[in-house]
Amino acid sequence: MTPGRVSPRLSHNAMRHWNERLIEAVLFLAAALSVLTTLGIVYILVSESIHFFARISIVDFLTDTQWTPLFDDAHFGIMVLVSGTLVSSLVALLVAIPVGTTIAIYLSEFAGSRVREIAKPILELLGGIPTIVYGYFALLVVTPILQVLLPNLPGFSLLSAGFVMGIMIVPYIASLSEDAMRAVPMSLREGAYAMGSSRLYTAIHVVIPAALSGLAASYVLAVSRAVGETMILAVAAGMQPNLTWNPMEPAATITSYIVQVALGDLPHGSIGYQTIFAAGLTLLLITLMFNIVGQWLRAKYKENY
Amino acid sequence: MPNNTTQERLKAEARGLNFFYNGGIQALKNINMPIYDNRVTALIGPSGCGKSTYLRSFNRMHDLYPGNRYEGEIRFYPDDTNLLAPEVDPIEVRMRVGMVFQKPNPFPKSIYENVAYGLRVRGERNRRMLDDKVEHALRGAALWDEVKDRLQDLASNLSGGQQQRLCIARALATDPELLLFDEPTSALDPIATGAIEELVHELKKRVTILIVTHNMQQAARVSDYTAYMFLGEMIEFGKTDEIFIKPKDRRTEDYITGRMG
């Protein structure tokens, strides 16, 4: 071959070139679609919220202790809804993190392969149950049982809704945490066993520290699920806006307020209509905050095995 | 170097040892072999000959995986315990038999906590006792001077050779009676390898050593006794000098001279 000339096998093939370009374009569009959707949602939330904040000051929004947007004496204190969201999420996490992590330790470190093969799909099936079913389960089964233990518990409460939300989240935490723990290399476990440690000691002192970033990620996902959960709270927590940090009380959350108001026929452009977007934006910011914390945790405890 | 085999004290002895992996594949066939106290014994042989399988029988590592099965005995002295007996708790065995792995596997903890790990497993809480033993073990592994000012650093920040010496310190901290090395230098550069070999030579004053190696020069340099294994069988066992200078078995000679393996 003379120098300076490309082999015919490597030379420019116009047809293949266009095919590649086409495929690239299709893939780019698919990726762009999800980004654009997200941007669109954010745009709508922000632009409608701007109208809202033109009428209601942001200070009132953050400090008012009542949320009565549809009354004549309207108040717009978002903390009322935020408190319900945070309390119910906290209850859910107090249930889901210990239970989910324990299940993950069992499946990853103790269960034989046969048990794991049966248990894990069943667990994941639990994550596929519609949340409305969980909602009625909370209202009709869990609340009466809790009322036996806690006679003061009202028929609707953040406690029973949060508790059932925790049960709903358990499979996510268990499944993701188990993946993270199983990804810890066997050589690390062998090193621990060779030092004479038991299974539980190995799991707690070697496997969990090694899998910490994955565990943190699963917890953050759980927080996002809890904060964004709607149906269980709408059904079982009661929908009255109530600024409380007491899980024994009924209260509305950001999500249950949105579903309640969005079902009514609010005139477009009314202040009631705009509260939906202000509340939605608040929800988005809370979830965003947890996601940033999650990213930070991931980076801080990245796998160092 | 020992003059006379009859003067050696037994630390352990394999008797009629067979081993079957899950599924029934026999990896060890009727192994009979002494391990002498305060000596370095090297296991050599081509890949897949069963030398690592044999090594890992001494601390019951095979118990971690279901379906594995031992037959025969490994007697452990001075108390003449059969390490493989079903009634002997593998955790008890591992309390007495330490192990250093092929790839350094420090735990995701500080240098200090890595070395203190085995002591904590054994319930040691006294801070001064821990400090003393950690320092002693790190000195024993020739790592103290390099890490004494950064004991709280993560172990993963150390170099590969340092990590392997840390793993040796971790194993030494609990004063094991027998220390198993599974190709401890195969992931290290020549300088780090030299440091580990020197260490092995130094350590035999304190502990009996059994070492698997792919490197014949290494076996010749560090060991007092050498065993050649092939296809799960113990072909020849003897003093390292004799094995390397005048092997009795033709197969050993072929392997050592590089005609096979």
Side-chain angles (χ1 to χ4, degrees):
Chain A
M1 199 189 316
T2 52
R5 282 190 58 189
V6 180
S7 138
R9 287 169 62 199
L10 293 176
S11 70
H12 187 76
N13 177 328
M15 197 57 208
R16 189 166 65 213
H17 182 70
W18 279 109
N19 272 338
E20 296 270 348
R21 290 284 291 270
L22 187 70
I23 289 166
E24 200 185 317
V26 168
L27 293 176
F28 175 80
L29 276 177
L33 198 66
S34 70
V35 175
L36 287 176
T37 311
T38 310
L39 288 179
I41 290 171
V42 172
Y43 171 76
I44 300 276
L45 281 178
V46 171
S47 62
E48 292 288 341
S49 298
I50 285 171
H51 294 303
F52 174 81
F53 287 116
R55 293 156 100 175
I56 311 298
S57 93
I58 196 151
V59 177
D60 283 348
F61 185 68
L62 291 176
T63 57
D64 200 325
T65 56
Q66 287 183 64
W67 178 264
T68 52
L70 304 180
F71 291 5
D72 288 340
D73 176 26
H75 286 275
F76 301 91
I78 192 70
M79 288 314 289
V80 175
L81 300 182
V82 170
S83 75
T85 295
L86 291 184
V87 170
S88 58
S89 298
L90 192 68
V91 172
L93 293 177
L94 286 177
V95 173
I97 288 181
V99 175
T101 309
T102 308
I103 292 174
I105 292 174
Y106 171 73
L107 285 179
S108 159
E109 305 301 309
F110 289 84
S113 56
R114 191 167 303 164
V115 173
R116 185 167 46 236
E117 276 161 28
I118 296 170
K120 218 182 165 191
I122 291 177
L123 200 64
E124 280 164 2
L125 207 65
L126 215 60
I129 296 176
T131 56
I132 186 82
V133 177
Y134 278 111
Y136 278 96
F137 175 66
L139 186 66
L140 303 176
V141 179
V142 173
T143 301
I145 292 173
L146 286 175
Q147 278 170 330
V148 174
L149 302 169
L150 307 161
N152 296 331
L153 194 73
F156 296 99
S157 71
L158 291 170
L159 181 68
S160 71
F163 181 85
V164 171
M165 202 153 76
I167 295 174
M168 181 198 78
I169 295 168
V170 162
Y172 292 90
I173 293 187
S175 182
L176 286 172
S177 300
E178 198 248 10
D179 289 343
M181 289 170 70
R182 295 247 293 158
V184 173
M186 204 55 208
S187 68
L188 215 53
R189 277 188 199 92
E190 287 193 344
Y193 286 124
M195 293 304 301
S197 34
S198 64
R199 277 172 184 241
L200 188 62
Y201 197 93
T202 304
I204 292 172
H205 292 270
V206 174
V207 179
I208 288 183
L212 212 54
S213 83
L215 296 186
S218 82
Y219 298 162
V220 170
L221 183 81
V223 172
S224 299
R225 292 277 319 183
V227 169
E229 173 49 36
T230 307
M231 267 310 162
I232 297 175
L233 292 151
V235 172
M239 298 218 230
Q240 56 268 56
N242 179 8
L243 179 61
T244 179
W245 303 102
N246 179 3
M248 301 274 287
E249 288 180 23
T253 64
I254 300 175
T255 51
S256 70
Y257 168 76
I258 292 174
V259 76
Q260 181 188 20
V261 177
L263 291 177
D265 38 12
L266 287 166
H268 192 277
S270 71
I271 187 77
Y273 175 83
Q274 284 162 353
T275 56
I276 295 176
F277 296 95
L281 185 65
T282 310
L283 192 63
L284 184 77
L285 289 176
I286 292 176
T287 336
L288 187 69
M289 194 178 73
F290 282 116
N291 278 332
I292 289 169
V293 171
Q295 295 285 343
W296 177 76
L297 282 175
R298 264 187 104 91
K300 188 167 189 299
Y301 298 107
K302 69 174 195 299
E303 285 85 354
N304 44 17
Y305 37 75
Chain B
M1 203 57 60
N3 295 319
N4 191 336
T5 311
T6 54
Q7 287 178 349
E8 300 281 6
R9 251 186 345 220
L10 267 181
K11 183 65 218 173
E13 186 174 25
R15 290 188 195 157
L17 175 63
N18 293 310
F19 178 77
F20 304 86
Y21 275 112
N22 188 9
I25 297 159
Q26 186 168 8
L28 298 177
K29 294 169 187 160
N30 190 28
I31 308 271
N32 294 282
M33 183 184 136
I35 312 279
Y36 294 116
D37 207 10
N38 290 91
R39 297 286 175 263
V40 178
T41 305
L43 298 171
I44 60 170
S47 297
C49 71
K51 52 194 192 306
S52 282
T53 305
Y54 178 46
L55 187 85
R56 290 160 64 91
S57 301
F58 282 84
N59 66 344
R60 303 270 297 264
M61 265 341 232
H62 301 301
D63 290 37
L64 296 177
Y65 306 94
N68 294 335
R69 189 161 56 87
Y70 311 91
E71 275 174 11
E73 302 182 329
I74 295 177
R75 309 300 307 187
F76 201 58
Y77 301 102
D79 46 320
D80 197 17
T81 310
N82 174 16
L83 296 181
L84 302 181
E87 68 272 15
V88 171
D89 185 352
I91 289 182
E92 293 296 323
V93 173
R94 294 173 198 143
M95 293 276 184
R96 301 177 64 183
V97 181
M99 184 164 183
V100 175
F101 294 80
Q102 189 169 354
K103 250 183 70 190
N105 56 353
F107 301 141
K109 295 173 181 293
S110 68
I111 292 167
Y112 182 95
E113 284 302 326
N114 261 277
V115 183
Y117 183 88
L119 302 164
R120 292 202 192 278
V121 169
R122 286 154 182 77
E124 183 60 66
R125 287 216 179 76
N126 182 328
R127 187 75 203 185
R128 277 198 53 185
M129 188 77 115
L130 286 171
D131 287 350
D132 283 354
K133 291 209 168 183
V134 167
E135 177 175 344
H136 188 63
L138 283 169
R139 283 187 191 281
L143 191 58
W144 175 253
D145 291 330
E146 291 160 61
V147 301
K148 63 181 179 209
D149 299 322
R150 47 175 181 144
L151 290 173
Q152 298 310 322
D153 279 15
L154 270 180
S156 49
N157 294 338
L158 297 172
S159 72
Q162 287 174 325
Q163 287 187 12
Q164 194 61 307
R165 276 180 285 150
L166 182 70
C167 292
I168 294 173
R170 185 174 75 190
L172 282 178
T174 54
D175 289 317
E177 297 164 53
L178 172 63
L179 197 48
L180 310 170
F181 284 84
D182 191 357
E183 296 184 43
T185 61
S186 64
L188 303 181
D189 66 47
I191 291 170
T193 299
I196 303 275
E197 285 181 8
E198 218 164 281
L199 194 54
V200 168
H201 202 70
E202 195 59 31
L203 286 175
K204 70 174 179 180
K205 293 172 193 155
R206 286 170 66 176
V207 56
T208 307
I209 290 171
L210 188 57
I211 179 168
V212 165
T213 177
H214 259 299
N215 179 329
M216 235 93 60
Q217 285 77 24
Q218 184 169 74
R221 278 194 299 266
V222 303
S223 69
D224 304 304
Y225 290 91
T226 296
Y228 172 64
M229 292 180 70
F230 184 59
L231 296 177
E233 285 179 76
M234 180 68 57
I235 305 297
E236 189 167 353
F237 170 82
K239 288 185 183 170
T240 299
D241 294 351
E242 291 167 9
I243 291 267
F244 278 90
I245 294 164
K246 45 179 194 320
K248 294 190 187 74
D249 196 290
R250 181 63 199 257
R251 290 169 291 181
T252 315
E253 194 182 344
D254 284 352
Y255 182 69
I256 287 168
T257 53
R259 273 194 284 270
M260 186 208 68

